[in-house]
Amino acid sequence: GKDNVSLILGDNIFYFPALKQVIKDSINTTGATIFAYHVSHPSRYGVVEINNENKILSIEEKPTRPKSNYAIPGFYFFDNDVIKYAKNVQPSKRGELEITDVIKCYLTDNKLDVIKMDKGTAWLDTGTVTSLMEAGQFVQVLEKRQGLKVGCVEEQAYLMNYINRQQLEKL
């Protein structure tokens, strides 16, 4: 249709208090919004280079010499133009369709915003056995200490009035 799109990669887990507000602020965006997360080894990810005014200078996919330590996590907001951009993406040298190429279309058209994830944010990429185990331990510790669920889609659907109490209890 003509709706905006949010994309979260299936092997990514996010934990940050401002998530609900970020979604509200970004879901009806014009253009696209990506996130930037400071990492030690950026060459494993798509990398965004940002200046002091939060302006995006460049985006690279898994660069051998990254221009910054800001990885682009697998969480994006796009307006409906994402459909036309995605249709024109060609396979990369690795033979894959890269989400980075779609994001670069927005950058070229000057329709791309970036939000730096603060230090209270956890982004867990569970693409390896070790990182999946670490993510499980992180969630286990939080749930045990707080007595609350982490990443409970049903709870969020209830809090946002998408389902009622009876539907929540059934789920």
Side-chain angles (χ1 to χ4, degrees):
K2 297 182 189 236
D3 292 339
N4 286 354
V5 176
S6 176
L7 173 64
I8 302 174
L9 300 183
D11 63 352
N12 282 221
I13 296 173
F14 297 91
Y15 181 79
F16 57 110
L19 178 60
K20 189 174 180 180
Q21 189 60 46
V22 166
I23 291 171
K24 283 183 177 181
D25 292 346
S26 302
I27 198 72
N28 293 315
T29 189
T30 299
T33 302
I34 61 171
F35 295 89
Y37 190 87
H38 195 275
V39 295
S40 300
H41 305 287
S43 60
R44 295 176 40 202
Y45 309 101
V47 174
V48 59
E49 179 187 16
I50 308 165
N51 69 12
N52 292 337
E53 287 83 41
N54 218 38
K55 182 178 181 339
I56 300 169
L57 303 176
S58 69
I59 293 176
E60 304 172 283
E61 181 63 29
K62 296 181 177 66
T64 53
R65 294 182 182 200
K67 295 178 183 175
S68 86
N69 280 76
Y70 283 102
I72 303 171
F75 187 20
Y76 323 91
F77 291 96
F78 301 107
D79 64 13
N80 197 258
D81 288 343
V82 71
I83 295 168
K84 75 175 181 189
Y85 291 141
K87 285 181 181 178
N88 294 316
V89 171
Q90 299 298 315
S92 68
K93 291 177 185 174
R94 299 181 313 136
E96 295 184 20
L97 297 175
E98 307 284 357
I99 191 68
T100 307
D101 291 335
V102 173
I103 294 168
K104 284 181 180 178
C105 292
Y106 282 96
L107 179 60
T108 299
D109 290 348
N110 201 28
K111 298 189 322 180
L112 182 62
D113 292 320
V114 63
I115 297 172
K116 284 185 188 175
M117 293 180 151
D118 61 27
K119 290 183 181 181
T121 302
W123 166 46
L124 307 168
D125 184 342
T126 63
T128 67
V129 172
T130 301
S131 61
L132 179 59
M133 182 187 70
E134 292 169 350
Q137 290 171 332
F138 176 81
V139 170
Q140 181 184 34
V141 167
L142 283 175
E143 287 187 351
K144 191 173 183 179
R145 274 203 192 131
Q146 296 178 345
L148 303 171
K149 289 292 185 191
V150 172
C152 183
V153 176
E154 297 84 357
E155 176 187 32
Q156 291 305 309
Y158 173 71
L159 293 173
M160 297 176 84
N161 295 316
Y162 294 143
I163 61 174
N164 62 36
R165 185 171 187 81
Q166 291 78 25
Q167 291 169 310
L168 174 64
E169 288 173 359
K170 182 178 178 185
L171 292 168

